[in-house]
Amino acid sequence: MNQSRRGFLAKVSGALMAVTGARTVGSLVAPGEAEAYHFCGHIYTTDSCPHPTGLPRIDSRGRPLRAKDGHRVDDLGRLVDREGDPIDEDGARLTDAEGAPLPAASRTPVCTAVAQQYDITTRTDGAWYRCCGGHVRKLVDCCSTSRRRINGDRSLVGYCYKNRRVFCVMYYQTKVPC
Amino acid sequence: MLIWVLAAAALAAGVTGAWSPCGFSMVETLAPAGYAGRLRTTLVACLTFTLGALAGGVLTFGGLAALGEALGAGGTGAAAVAAAIAVVAAVGEARGLRIVPQVRRQVPESWRRVLPVPLAAGLYGVLLGLGFTTFILTFAVWALAAVSVALGDPALGAVLGLAFGAGRALPVIALAPIAGGDRGNAAHAAMAERPAILRGLRAADAVALALCAAVIGVAPAQAATVAASPASGPAADVDRFAFQRPGGPGYLRRAGATFALPGRDPALAAGLVGWRDGTRIVLADPATLTTLGTYEAPGGGAFAFSDQWVVWLVGSAQLVAQPRDATVAPRLVASARAGEQLGRPALAGQALVFHRAGRAGSQIRLVDLATGRERTLRSERRALLLNPSFDGRELLYVRSTFSRQELRLGPPVRRAPARDRRLYGTTPTGRRDAGHERGHGRHRSGYPGRRPPPLAPRPPAGISYTLWSTALGPQAAFVTRLRHRGGTTTTTAAVLSVPR
C-alpha cells in the first residue's frame, strides 16, 4: 500500500513537474514566433515609436524603413533612393507637372525623432532577438528617463540600461533565416 | 469631415430609394420564393446586385465630379453654391415635398425572366445605382449630383457613389433572403403600410443634407475646389488668376474668360501680367498683352515680380534679382547648398520669399532685396515647408509631414508653423500601413480605456498626392495638387482653390 501510494505520489509529482517544465519551456519557446500584440516578436504593452509609415521598422542605423519590403522612407513617408531623393514604387524620381524633381526631405533616426517630438532625451539601448517571418528580428527599445511612456502611462524597464525606461519600441529585421 | 458627411447623406439617399417601385420589385425578384427559386441563388444574386449598385453609383457621381473638374468647376463660389443646394434640398426633405423633377421610369421587367437571375440582378443593381434611371424618392439624389459637379473632385465623387450604391443595395439584400417568411412579410408590410418609416428616412436625409451644407458652407477651409485642371504654377492678383498648363502655355483668367498667353510660367503683380518667353521674362498689360518690359533671364525657372524688382530661379539652385528699371545688372541673391533646392520665388515690394528644402530640413526665408539681409520666417524639423506666396501682409505655404499636408497662412514674422492658420488639409504624400502586421491587431494595451490615438488619414493605394506651388488672392488661396499614379511616369496636376 505504502509502495503503491509512493508510486502514485511519484507519478503525480512527476506529472506536475512535467507540466511545470512544459510551461517553462513553452514560455521560453513561445516568444520565438510570438504573435502577441501588434507585430511579431513584441510581447510587452509599450506601443510603437511614431514612424513615417506606421510599423516601426528601422535599418541598422535606426532610420525608418517601410515595413512591408524594407524600402527606405524619408520623414514624410515617401520612398527614397540611396541619395535620399523621393521616388515612386518603380524607382523613378517624383517630379512636379513639368518634370522638375521634388525636393528631398530629412530622414531622421526614429528614436531621435521621438526625442524631438516629445521633447525628451532618448537613446537606443538594449535589444532582444526573436524569430519572425522566417528571419531573425531584433526588437529594439527607444529608451528615456521619462517615467511616462508613449501610451501615456508608467514606463517599464524593458531592455533599457542605467535607470532608463522604455518609451516606445522598434524593430530591425535581419536577413538571417531561422 | 466633408467626405464622411457626404457619404452619410448618400447612404441615406440610397436607402430611401428602397421605397421606389423598383426597390420593392427587387426584393420580390431576388427572393428565394421568387425568380431566384432557392436561397443559394438569392445570395449570389444579392452579391451581384450589390456590385452592380456600387458600380452604378461610382459611374454617376464619380462621372459628374469628373465632369465638374473638366469644366473647371470649383472656384471660390463653388462651395457656397454646393452648400446652398444642400440647404434647399434639406428643406424640401424636411417638409416631405413631392419630388420634382421626377424620373418616371422603371428597370426592364423582362430581364428577370430571360436572363439568369444573378446576371439580371447585377444589371438591375447598375441601373438602381445610377440613381437617375428610375423613380427618385428623395431630393438628396439631385442635391448630391449637383454637389458632385460643383466640388469637381472625382475621388470625392467616387466615395459618394459607393455610399449611394451601398445604400441602394442594403435594404434589398437585407430583405430578399427572408422575403416570404414571417419576418420578411412583416418587414414588407411595414414598408408598404407605415408611411412614417419613409417620412423618418426623408427626415434623416434632411438632417444629413443640412450637415453637408454646414460642413461645406460653415467650414469652407476643408472644402477645396478645383480652380483649373490640368494646371500648375498658380498666380493671383486682385481680380485675375493665371496658371500654367503642364507642357503648354500659361493661361490668364479674368472676368470669367480664360485665354492662352504667348509664353510659360505666368505671374501677376502690380497690375501687370508676366510670362517667360525662352530666356526672356516679359511683363505686359493684362488687358491688351502689350509688352511693357523685358528682362534677359537665362535658367528657365519660375519668376516673380513686383513694382520694384524681378526675381527668377535658375534651375533649382539659384535666385537672381534685378530692379524693374534695369539700372543695375542682375545679381545673385540666394544659392542652394549641397543636396538642397530653392523654391519658386514670391515678391512683395522689395521682400523676396522662397523655400530652402533638402535632407537637412526645410525653411521659408525672406530676403530684403534693398539691404541683402536674409532671415528665416519658418523652420521645422522632419517637415517640408514649401513654395510660399506673399502679398506683403500674409504668408501662404505648404506644410508637409508624414501624417498630413496642409496649406497654412500667417504673418511674415518668425514663428512656429503650428501657430499659423490651417486653410486646407489633405492626406500625406506617403502611404502608411495598418500599424500592425498580418494576423495581429492594433496595439491597444496600456492605453487608457484601450483606446490608442487615431491613425492619420492615408491616400488611396498606388496614388500619391503632393501639394506644391501656391498663390494668394484677395478672396482665395490656391495650391497645385500633383497626382502621381504608380506604374506610370506621368504626374498630373490641378490647381485647387480654398477660401481665405
Side-chain angles (χ1 to χ4, degrees):
Chain A
M1 182 69 181
N2 278 350
Q3 274 191 341
S4 67
R5 182 183 290 169
R6 269 199 298 273
F8 172 73
L9 289 173
K11 283 179 185 171
V12 169
S13 63
L16 281 172
M17 284 186 69
V19 169
T20 308
R23 278 183 181 162
T24 306
V25 170
S27 66
L28 290 172
V29 171
E33 274 291 358
E35 294 301 319
Y37 303 106
H38 58 301
F39 60 82
C40 174
H42 181 42
I43 57 168
Y44 295 103
T45 59
T46 305
D47 201 358
S48 300
C49 298
H51 183 283
T53 51
L55 279 165
R57 183 169 176 177
I58 55 174
D59 65 12
S60 58
R61 296 181 182 180
R63 294 175 304 195
L65 299 176
R66 186 163 69 173
K68 74 174 183 181
D69 54 11
H71 207 297
R72 297 174 194 85
V73 293
D74 64 14
D75 284 343
L76 273 56
R78 304 178 301 182
L79 299 185
V80 294
D81 59 18
R82 282 183 183 280
E83 286 70 42
D85 293 318
I87 56 174
D88 65 10
E89 295 284 344
D90 302 318
R93 281 290 303 268
L94 289 183
T95 65
D96 68 11
E98 302 292 335
L102 297 186
S106 52
R107 187 167 177 245
T108 313
V110 171
C111 194
T112 305
V114 168
Q116 294 170 2
Q117 183 172 342
Y118 290 88
D119 199 20
I120 55 177
T121 303
T122 59
R123 182 178 166 136
T124 304
D125 273 348
W128 189 252
Y129 292 80
R130 301 190 195 280
C131 184
C132 288
H135 288 87
V136 175
R137 174 176 290 184
K138 178 184 181 185
L139 285 305
V140 187
D141 285 345
C142 179
C143 306
S144 85
T145 52
S146 169
R147 295 282 151 177
R148 297 263 164 210
R149 59 179 178 170
I150 192 166
N151 308 47
D153 56 0
R154 284 184 61 191
S155 51
L156 310 171
V157 172
Y159 309 137
C160 302
Y161 313 135
K162 295 183 180 175
N163 293 328
R164 284 187 288 271
R165 290 163 170 261
V166 188
F167 187 79
C168 55
V169 298
M170 308 170 287
Y171 71 87
Y172 167 62
Q173 188 77 16
T174 73
K175 293 179 180 173
V176 180
C178 56
Chain B
M1 183 67 174
L2 177 66
I3 198 166
W4 289 109
V5 172
L6 281 173
L11 185 76
V15 171
T16 310
W19 270 255
S20 69
C22 293
F24 278 109
S25 302
M26 286 306 102
V27 176
E28 302 282 332
T29 302
L30 272 56
Y35 284 90
R38 55 181 181 164
L39 183 59
R40 186 185 297 176
T41 308
T42 294
L43 295 178
V44 175
C46 283
L47 176 65
T48 55
F49 179 84
T50 303
L51 294 175
L54 294 174
V58 171
L59 270 173
T60 292
F61 294 99
L64 287 170
L67 176 68
E69 184 184 36
L71 292 173
T76 52
V81 170
I85 290 169
V87 166
V88 170
V91 170
E93 285 297 284
R95 299 183 64 182
L97 297 180
R98 193 181 190 85
I99 306 297
V100 274
Q102 182 57 275
V103 179
R104 300 193 173 279
R105 295 176 61 87
Q106 283 195 251
V107 295
E109 187 275 334
S110 61
W111 285 359
R112 62 181 181 175
R113 286 183 281 109
V114 300
L115 296 174
V117 171
L119 176 59
L123 295 173
Y124 285 140
V126 172
L127 289 183
L128 292 189
L130 285 170
F132 294 96
T133 54
T134 68
F135 280 80
I136 292 169
L137 271 284
T138 167
F139 286 108
V141 178
W142 290 111
L144 292 171
V147 167
S148 296
V149 176
L151 296 183
D153 183 342
L156 183 64
V159 171
L160 216 152
L162 285 174
F164 180 77
R168 294 232 72 166
L170 269 174
V172 174
I173 63 174
L175 294 175
I178 60 169
D182 289 342
R183 282 190 303 150
N185 287 337
H188 182 271
M191 284 178 68
E193 297 170 14
R194 293 171 61 184
I197 298 177
L198 181 56
R199 279 204 301 274
L201 273 172
R202 292 195 66 185
D205 291 334
V207 171
L209 286 168
L211 276 174
C212 288
V215 171
I216 296 169
V218 176
Q222 293 300 307
T225 51
V226 177
S229 177
S232 64
D237 205 345
V238 177
D239 54 359
R240 286 177 290 268
F241 168 66
F243 59 89
Q244 167 68 31
R245 186 80 78 197
Y251 282 78
L252 178 65
R253 183 179 293 169
R254 62 167 187 234
T258 304
F259 55 92
L261 295 168
R264 299 172 45 77
D265 298 324
L268 295 167
L272 304 179
V273 61
W275 60 83
R276 183 175 268 284
D277 177 14
T279 60
R280 283 192 319 154
I281 290 169
V282 179
L283 303 189
D285 183 318
T288 62
L289 300 190
T290 306
T291 299
L292 300 175
T294 61
Y295 302 85
E296 197 58 35
F303 71 97
F305 66 95
S306 68
D307 54 346
Q308 301 171 45
W309 291 85
V310 181
V311 177
W312 60 91
L313 196 55
V314 179
S316 59
Q318 292 181 323
L319 280 166
V320 174
Q322 186 176 24
R324 275 275 303 277
D325 58 14
T327 52
V328 180
R331 65 180 169 92
L332 184 68
V333 289
S335 55
R337 292 180 283 263
E340 190 180 65
Q341 279 188 18
L342 302 184
R344 191 176 184 233
L347 256 180
Q350 56 194 26
L352 165 67
V353 177
F354 60 97
H355 78 234
R356 288 180 179 274
R359 287 181 279 280
S362 76
Q363 299 174 332
I364 291 176
R365 310 277 288 181
L366 184 147
V367 174
D368 185 328
L369 293 173
T371 64
R373 184 167 168 260
E374 182 173 343
R375 59 194 168 100
T376 301
L377 297 180
R378 300 289 186 281
S379 177
E380 186 175 358
R381 286 190 281 202
R382 295 177 293 113
L384 278 181
L385 307 176
L386 298 169
N387 290 316
S389 294
F390 183 43
D391 64 2
R393 292 179 297 109
E394 289 196 289
L395 182 73
L396 176 78
Y397 62 96
V398 170
R399 174 178 180 265
S400 181
T401 68
F402 71 79
S403 61
R404 200 81 179 146
Q405 292 184 87
E406 301 169 331
L407 199 54
R408 290 209 175 234
L409 185 70
V413 295
R414 177 164 191 152
R415 68 177 192 173
R419 294 182 60 194
D420 291 331
R421 186 156 67 94
R422 196 182 76 170
L423 289 184
Y424 172 67
T426 188
T427 56
T429 303
R431 182 177 157 83
R432 65 166 172 80
D433 54 37
H436 60 81
E437 290 187 320
R438 192 184 295 272
H440 297 254
R442 181 92 198 276
H443 185 104
R444 298 184 183 281
S445 300
Y447 283 106
R450 294 177 60 77
R451 280 199 295 271
L455 295 170
R458 56 181 176 176
I463 297 176
S464 70
Y465 291 108
T466 301
L467 295 186
W468 191 231
S469 45
T470 67
L472 195 52
Q475 306 296 328
F478 300 91
V479 62
T480 302
R481 182 185 62 190
L482 305 174
R483 181 179 187 274
H484 184 87
R485 179 182 281 278
T488 68
T489 55
T490 311
T491 297
T492 57
V495 172
L496 306 182
S497 167
V498 183
R500 283 180 72 172

